[in-house]
Amino acid sequence: MDPLLIVGAVIVFFVVITVLKSVRIVPQARARNVERLGRYSRTLKPGMNFVIPYIDRVYPMIDLREQVVSFRPQPVITEDNLVVEIDTVLYFQVTDPRAAAYEIANYIQAIEQLTVTTLRNVIGSMDLESTLTSRDTINSQLRGVLDEATGKWGIRVNRVEIKAIDPPKTIKDAMEKQMRAERDKRAAILNAEGQRQSQILTAEGEKQSNILRAEGERTAAILKAEGQSQAIDQVFQAVHRNDPDPKLLAYQYLQVLPQLAQGENNTFWVIPSEVTSALQGVSKAFTQALPPSEATRESVTSGASEAASAAAAEAARAARAAEEAVADAAAPEPATAGPRQLDAPPAPVTDPLQDYRQEHHPEHRP
């Protein structure tokens, strides 16, 4: 093989490698530092860049986008001497590639250790309850300290979040018991409030019901009393308007008198002294003649007619029946039934037929 051909091929290969090494393409949101003869020269921008091969040294790319780093849980002691494990998440961004490459050897590890130390300082001044309820305060304090410390490294800390705070198992059990007791307490309070409200509503309903019932009974009593008053007034006016005589009242009294002894268990009843006078009034009412009218004055001398005699006889029988009823009521009853009492002895009742003869037929007087 021709040696000149081999040398030419080697030269061409070397030229191609040199050209390739002199052109560097940097993607968007990336950066690369360039050292010339061991000294920082410049930072390559996104796009096509030319360097001097074998003289300039190009370092690996640095990501300029915002990055998220989650650190493993770190044990931290609180102010009340309780060990809690806190898991944090950090959001940061490289703003100066030169400082990030030359000011710190490993900025990720540096940020992690700085976060742990700052977190211990912040949590050490807080008790467990404040730690669990003050995450925003802890986040703001961590971000302030980290942003100030990482500024000279060309790094900007955008956000720090506490992902989890894990207290010891015994503390978790105690907290669960406390929360269960609080929930039971709230449930008991709500149950008591519900029962109280229910009793209040029930009492209010009963009160309104009693008030309405009382008003209804009062209205009914008033209406009943008004009805009885009107009935009594109408009866009273009717009695006084018709002007009844004692004879009618005595006759009605005799009609009601037998009803007093109709009870099965009546062993004692009182007959007032007015009964005898009532009987006399009834007897006189049926035996005395009515005042003659103009049509019958002329026939008075001829005597009473057969119809008058029959009426007188019927009246006499009625008076005699009433007299017997009074006598039966005044008679003593058997020992088992108990005595019946009368207020006054019955007055003698004359024969109505004999009185009629004596009055209208004087020739038959004895």
Side-chain angles (χ1 to χ4, degrees), residues 29-33 59-65 67 94 96-98 100-101 107:
R30 305 289 195 278
R32 301 186 72 172
N33 294 323
Y59 279 85
M61 293 184 186
I62 298 176
D63 197 344
L64 301 180
R65 296 173 298 179
Q67 303 180 43
V94 177
D96 188 357
R98 187 194 65 81
Y107 57 85

Side-chain angles (χ1 to χ4, degrees), residues 102-351:
Y102 296 101
E103 295 294 336
I104 188 72
N106 189 345
Y107 57 85
I108 298 295
Q109 185 179 2
I111 291 174
E112 180 181 4
Q113 297 301 321
L114 184 59
T115 302
V116 171
T117 55
T118 306
L119 189 62
R120 288 177 178 174
N121 292 333
V122 173
I123 300 300
S125 61
M126 304 172 65
D127 56 5
L128 178 61
E129 186 175 358
S130 300
T131 303
L132 296 175
T133 58
S134 304
R135 294 195 176 190
D136 293 338
T137 303
I138 298 172
N139 294 337
S140 61
Q141 292 182 7
L142 284 174
R143 182 180 178 279
V145 174
L146 292 175
D147 194 17
E148 182 180 359
T150 58
K152 62 181 181 179
W153 300 340
I155 296 173
R156 182 178 62 194
V157 178
N158 296 327
R159 195 171 183 181
V160 179
E161 293 290 341
I162 296 179
K163 187 167 62 175
I165 299 177
D166 297 328
K169 188 176 183 304
T170 56
I171 301 300
K172 286 184 179 179
D173 296 339
M175 293 173 63
E176 290 178 358
K177 291 180 181 179
Q178 182 180 2
M179 294 301 298
R180 190 180 300 111
E182 289 291 335
R183 287 193 293 269
D184 293 341
K185 176 183 175 182
R186 288 196 297 268
I189 291 174
L190 292 176
N191 189 16
E193 288 291 337
Q195 292 181 356
R196 174 175 172 270
Q197 193 68 21
S198 175
Q199 292 177 359
I200 290 174
L201 293 177
T202 302
E204 289 291 337
E206 292 179 354
K207 176 184 175 182
Q208 294 295 332
S209 176
N210 293 332
I211 291 174
L212 294 176
R213 189 182 297 109
E215 291 180 354
E217 293 177 354
R218 183 187 68 178
T219 304
I222 291 174
L223 294 176
K224 185 177 180 181
E226 290 179 354
Q228 292 178 355
S229 175
Q230 293 178 2
I232 293 172
D233 184 63
Q234 290 180 1
V235 172
F236 184 77
Q237 290 180 4
V239 170
H240 282 273
R241 185 169 55 250
N242 296 324
D243 192 16
D245 55 357
K247 298 176 182 179
L248 177 60
L249 299 178
Y251 182 70
Q252 291 181 352
Y253 190 87
L254 290 176
Q255 287 180 341
V256 176
L257 184 62
Q259 298 178 3
L260 299 177
Q262 289 180 2
E264 296 179 357
N265 298 324
N266 289 340
T267 59
F268 177 80
W269 56 290
V270 179
I271 299 177
S273 60
E274 288 80 1
V275 174
T276 57
S277 61
L279 291 175
Q280 293 178 1
V282 172
S283 177
K284 291 180 180 181
F286 286 103
T287 56
Q288 290 181 359
L290 295 175
S293 62
E294 295 180 358
T296 59
R297 284 177 183 175
E298 296 179 357
S299 60
V300 172
T301 55
S302 61
S305 61
E306 294 180 359
S309 300
E314 185 68 22
R317 283 196 298 270
R320 193 175 298 108
E323 202 172 304
E324 291 176 358
V326 173
D328 292 339
E333 295 184 357
T336 58
R340 297 178 180 264
Q341 297 182 3
L342 296 174
D343 289 346
V349 180
T350 60
D351 188 0

